[in-house]
Amino acid sequence: MAQFFDLWVQYGPLMLAGLATTAWICALATALGLAIGLLLACLESTPFTPLRWAVRAYIEIMRGLPILILLFVLYYGGPSIGLRLSAEAVGVFGLGFYGAAYFAEIFRSGFQSISKGQIEAARMAGLSGTQIIRHIKLPQMLVMITPPMVNQIIILIKESAVLSIITVAELTKNTTQFVNETYAVIEPYLAAALLYWLLVEAVAQLGKYVERRVRF
């Protein structure tokens, strides 16, 4: 126990710095993924068939592609076509593009969960298109999609561990540095597991709060 305390005093700041990097990269990637995912879900309902096919192709390719391959293409293949991004930027864009495909499916299921009868009744009551979206579609959709959306964000947080492969100094990479410098194994990985759990639990509790707010 005393050894664990001594190691934590020495390497605690390194682990917390890794946790902070994981948190801000995942936050930006989630925001990017939600924005792109919502756009894709809207475009998939467009009457323009080639655009719908393009959206569907993007979703299917991203869902079938390992996140590590996408990160390698962006980080190591980008400079060959003039795209030079920092490792952190690749992390944000990689996780964002990857998560967008899953968020798009969640948004699509949310839109489809609202019955056509409710929309027709709202139109007959004289509600405009904007009012229908604000008062009928959006509240019901948020209730439906909040739990799967939170699950997807948690998956992105756990997937972010692979960013250590492209030199991002996030929690897993800093844990590896901790292990390499001290030759300790149990203490660093237990600390990393605890920090990941705290981050995931914070997201889960935030999701429950949002779900209660949109439900009532």
Side-chain angles (χ1 to χ4, degrees), residues 21-96:
T21 301
T22 294
W24 73 257
I25 285 180
C26 289
L28 291 180
T30 298
L32 179 64
L34 287 172
I36 298 175
L38 180 59
L39 177 64
L40 292 173
C42 293
L43 291 177
E44 202 167 17
S45 61
T46 180
F48 189 49
T49 302
L51 186 55
R52 289 204 311 274
W53 287 352
V55 169
R56 180 46 49 185
Y58 175 88
I59 292 173
E60 295 302 330
I61 290 171
M62 283 296 172
R63 291 172 65 188
L65 188 67
I67 180 66
L68 191 57
I69 301 299
L70 177 61
L71 293 173
F72 279 158
V73 169
L74 288 175
Y75 189 63
Y76 296 109
S80 63
I81 58 172
L83 183 64
R84 298 182 184 279
L85 298 172
S86 67
E88 289 79 8
V90 169
V92 171
F93 286 116
L95 288 175

Side-chain angles (χ1 to χ4, degrees), residues 126-149:
L127 270 64
S128 65
T130 304
Q131 289 173 321
I132 290 173
I133 292 174
R134 180 180 176 185
H135 298 293
I136 296 178
K137 284 188 174 182
L138 201 55
Q140 292 189 53
M141 188 184 75
L142 285 175
V143 171
M144 293 289 296
I145 69 174
T146 298
M149 190 178 295

Side-chain angles (χ1 to χ4, degrees), residues 196-211:
Y196 272 118
W197 178 81
L198 288 174
L199 182 57
V200 166
E201 188 62 19
V203 171
Q205 293 302 320
L206 179 62
K208 290 179 181 177
Y209 172 77
V210 172
E211 189 176 358

Side-chain angles (χ1 to χ4, degrees), residues 3 7 10-15 172-185 187-189:
Q3 183 185 5
L7 289 173
Q10 185 177 355
Y11 286 92
L14 179 70
M15 299 294 284
T172 298
K173 183 168 180 58
N174 286 6
T175 303
T176 303
Q177 180 182 338
F178 188 171
V179 172
N180 292 338
E181 292 180 1
T182 63
Y183 299 106
V185 175
E187 294 88 347
Y189 286 119

